[in-house]
Amino acid sequence: MSTRMNNEAPDAAQPAPQAPPPDKAAPTGRFGLPTATALVIGSVIGTGVFALPSALAPYGPISLVAFVLVTIGALALAFTFGALSKRVPGSGGPYVYARDAFGDFGGFLNAWSYWITAWAGNAAIVVAWVGYVEVFWNSGHAKTWSIVIAMVGLWIPAAINLSGVRSMAVTQIVTSVLKFVPLLFMATIGLLFIRVHNFGPFNAGGTSAGSAISAAAAIALFSYIGIETASVAAGRVRNPRRNVGRATVLGTIGCAVVYILGTLTVFGTVSNAALRKSSAPFTDSADAIFGGRWAGQTVAVAAIVSGLGALIGWTLVVGEMPMAAAKDRLFPAVFARTRRGVPVFGIVSSTLLASVLTAVSYTRFEKVFTTLVLLSVVTAVIPYLFSAGAQLYWLLTRGRQTQWQHLVRDCGVSGVALVFSFWSLAGSGYQAVYYGTFCLLMGLPVYIWLKVGRGEYGESLVVPFDSTAALTSPACPPDTGQLPQ
């Protein structure tokens, strides 16, 4: 049954169905709260955060203000996803939320946009990952070898996911722990080694403060893409109504702490001029703190492990989202085919697309990481907008039965998430919005093809209107020229 039907009132002639208990509301999951939280942390903390200080350096320390504002917006989104997962269970995340509120076309647009985010985001993660691998090998950054390293970084996580979900779950927990400990160290002990002169001008970009914050925020948002991954894979989580929301919020808070403090440490231990040229800023920061190369190499190893963990999580997501849409006949049916429960075609095809985008980016763009980040942000913000809108729409139409204090609070949180998403979109820049919009609209021919294949016109639940039958039906009153009372 369409997820849109779940919130419709039952027929008055039939008894209302009893709500299923929480544990049976969704398909039996395969992992619990610890793994769901690790999936969020593992997907959010990739190598993006390890490369982010260099991408933010051109704006100066004012980008830390943007980071704080982005964190507030990310937490609003986390609470929004938590609320939505309780009301609309099952895998798919932003896709199922948009379809529930706005129908098939809204659901398709979100699935298509988020699918682009997933594989384009994998390309951005692997580019940052290559920067830390090259601390040990290909230190001259020869493009051919950089592309080869990137291909290895994309296809190892694909192989792990294709081997089964249990392998993914174990790997995700291990990599999350290994990446979180060094970052936490840098975000605590590293603060003791900050030197004020390293920060440089507060607004180093030469633009207005508002423009600098908006531009830096669009880049910083990439660090939080992935907070919704537990809701995307909700069908694989035990007791999703309880665990998905908690995992989303806990994972976001944990990431926020190490993000802001870790970036502050890097800004304060590496000069702004050196940071702009760095491909491994956390390695440079560790070397500045402890001297020599061993500390930086240790951080580089953590970044490499972190990137693999993130790519493993995102490779799961890149198969789950189109599979959920394909089961509802809103994505090509081949995405719904599985082998041992794994969406093989979704994983392989998406990894191929990420591979092509990575290779093209290395040969076409000077700032490879920043270009891919902004493209991913644009395509990610669209599902965020729809998700926040879906929650706000439900609260204003169906949520009035709740206490007014809770209604005001929930509407406020959803409103912040909605405004934050628009702000992030505006700060992404014209080029990123152009490429993102172009990629989004490329889905329109696919949707037409799917609708034609189903023989539908308009919404699938609309009954065709027969004007002749309506005019001759005794239930149709004659036209008296007066408005109905």
Side-chain angles (χ1 to χ4, degrees), residues 45 53 66 69 76 129 152 158 195 234 257 259 273 291 374 416 449 459 461:
I45 300 181
L69 295 176
W129 182 79
V152 173
R195 300 292 180 266
V257 171
Y259 273 179
L374 292 175
V416 169
W449 170 54
E459 287 295 331
L461 296 180

Side-chain angles (χ1 to χ4, degrees), residues 203-227:
N203 183 2
T207 61
S208 67
S211 298
I213 290 174
S214 295
I219 297 174
L221 176 60
F222 180 75
S223 299
Y224 287 106
I225 293 178
I227 59 175

